[in-house]
Amino acid sequence: MTESAHGTAVPSALSWDPVVLWSKPESERAGTPLLVLFHGYMANEEDLMGLTDHLPSEFTVVSVRAPLAVGQGFSWFPLSREDDYSVERVVESVSAVSAWLDTVREAHSSVSILGFSQGMAVATSLLRHRPADFACVVGLSGFAVPSEGHSFFRDDDAAAAPARFFWGRDQEDQVITPEMIGFTHAWLTQNTRLTKILYPNMLHSINLQELSHVREFLTMTVLNPR
């Protein structure tokens, strides 16, 4: 563990050993495409595993627990409105995730990532750090973080070879601020091959229509690419 400027323990890329849930036993994972799930704020690794039944069965799905205990759940980094938020805290957490991914990716034919809410910030940050590493990215009711000029975010590289990105949300979602939505929309439009779909009456959640679109996106992008 290392300490932030505020003295709070944060995960080190060298020390973090995440709690994860797998959709397949280890004997059935080799050579399959991997889909990594990142849950939202104050949730845990169990929160998104119910999505697996709605996703292509060819994928091995792994859901990762965030490193910081918050309330009854976990957080990837402090919220931007909290005093101990900083881009460095985001970088610390996402660096740890990236290092862990390096320990599992070689067993799979490709790696795709999916994040909900704050988990979408993790997914977009991973893409911005290592833009060539992922077959595609799915972001649900979430956001991307401003880089504030941090070298961790290689946005020029992402724009040079834009990844396929699915972004689903409801315009009436009151959890993600308009400022963050505006930044996220601008970044995704400029730096990815974006598929954006709005879902009325979904609010800050995931619905079955969105899951059917995610399934189609994963199938067309990873399993049957053109």
Side-chain angles (χ1 to χ4, degrees), residues 85 87-88 90-91 94 121 124-131 144-158 187:
Y85 172 82
V87 172
E88 193 60 48
V90 179
V91 169
V94 177
T124 52
S125 296
L126 282 168
L127 175 65
R128 296 164 73 184
H129 178 53
R130 293 172 66 168
V145 298
S147 68
E148 299 180 15
H150 199 293
S151 60
F152 181 83
F153 299 90
R154 297 162 52 194
D155 289 348
D156 289 345
D157 292 343
W187 190 88

Side-chain angles (χ1 to χ4, degrees), residues 10-71:
V10 294
S12 164
L14 298 178
S15 65
W16 187 53
D17 185 17
V19 175
V20 301
L21 289 177
W22 293 91
S23 65
K24 299 179 188 293
E26 187 171 3
S27 61
E28 298 177 10
R29 298 175 201 163
T32 60
L34 180 66
L35 178 66
V36 187
L37 308 182
F38 302 110
H39 62 74
Y41 184 76
M42 289 187 67
N44 62 37
E45 71 282 2
E46 298 178 357
D47 186 58
L48 296 180
M49 282 303 286
L51 304 184
T52 303
D53 292 340
H54 302 277
L55 302 175
S57 61
E58 292 89 344
F59 280 83
T60 292
V61 179
V62 59
S63 186
V64 185
R65 178 189 292 181
L68 306 176
V70 178

Side-chain angles (χ1 to χ4, degrees), residues 48 51 114 116 140-141 202-208 210-211:
L48 296 180
L51 304 184
L114 181 155
F116 171 75
L140 307 178
S141 300
M202 185 174 70
L203 300 178
H204 191 66
S205 65
I206 301 169
N207 66 23
L208 290 176
E210 183 177 39
L211 285 176

